[in-house]
Amino acid sequence: MKQLIIFATGNKGKIREIRDIITDPDTEVLSMKEAGVEADPDENGASFEENALIKARAVAELIRRQKNEGTLSFDTEDTQVTVMSDDSGLVIDALGGEPGIYSARYLGYDTDYNYKMEQIMKRMENVPDPERTARFVAAVGAVFPDGSEHVVTGAMEGVIAHGIYGLNGFGYDPFFYLPEYGKTSAEITEEEKNAISHRGKALRSMIALFDEWRRRNSID
Ligand code: IMP
């Protein structure tokens, strides 16, 4: 049976990352837009896990509705559909876990990240190096073809730097220092980051769960 995974994101980088992880030729990955099922529910959960599941659930529900109405834009003949979604953010120990689930919204959605990082560094001016620990956390939620819900998390540990370095990556990468690389996550390559990132770890865990589910349900 063919497998279709719809990843509930508009972010092309995330789609590329999951396509790189999935090697099974019978599994196709589509973004919400490519699948014509775009949902934008309020991510009002209290944790990364809750927010990831809220989005996956909303897209799965939309697919169910469109299937009943006969308006689905893709063929479900001989195909099982899984919806996956992620939620992620930066957790800084010295700030009691901030910005956490509010990472994208912190100081405003459209605020320049250089400004957001400058403000955080200012708040941490007096925090000594050993206490500048932080981690990027990602949760990946999924609704499998039998309707069962699953959620896994991954983390990448680092330290908040005293400045902004590097042009790769996005968001808070330029001040997130990785001691084992001696660089920020904006100074390593996309490939290096995918191998160690919170999202890479959570995605690989979810794919392992999915493969296990397929084995248990003997789908080939
Ligand atoms: P979302 O998971 O797409 O809602 O994004 C959460 C927010 O967390 C992003 O907008 C970034 O601000 C931050 N974030 C999550 N992962 C990363 C990362 O790998 N690098 C830098 N910032 C990140």
Side-chain angles (χ1 to χ4, degrees), residues 17-52:
E17 198 172 340
I18 187 167
R19 280 189 183 135
D20 283 346
I21 290 171
I22 296 175
T23 47
D24 171 21
D26 288 329
T27 303
E28 188 184 3
V29 181
L30 294 179
S31 67
M32 286 194 293
K33 192 170 181 185
E34 288 165 337
V37 281
E38 289 187 78
D40 191 18
D42 261 351
E43 291 177 30
N44 55 9
S47 64
F48 296 112
E49 288 97 321
E50 272 182 42
N51 282 337

Side-chain angles (χ1 to χ4, degrees), residues 4 10 15 29 35 40 58 60 104 107-108 110 139 147 164 181 188 191-192:
L4 175 61
I15 296 288
V29 181
D40 191 18
L107 300 175
D110 298 325
I164 287 170
Y181 283 81
I188 59 174
E191 212 173 33
E192 285 173 324

Side-chain angles (χ1 to χ4, degrees), residues 90 101 181 185:
L90 175 64
I101 58 169
Y181 283 81
S185 50

Side-chain angles (χ1 to χ4, degrees), residues 93-106:
D93 293 323
L95 299 182
E98 280 187 60
I101 58 169
Y102 302 104
S103 293
R105 286 167 269 183
Y106 184 69

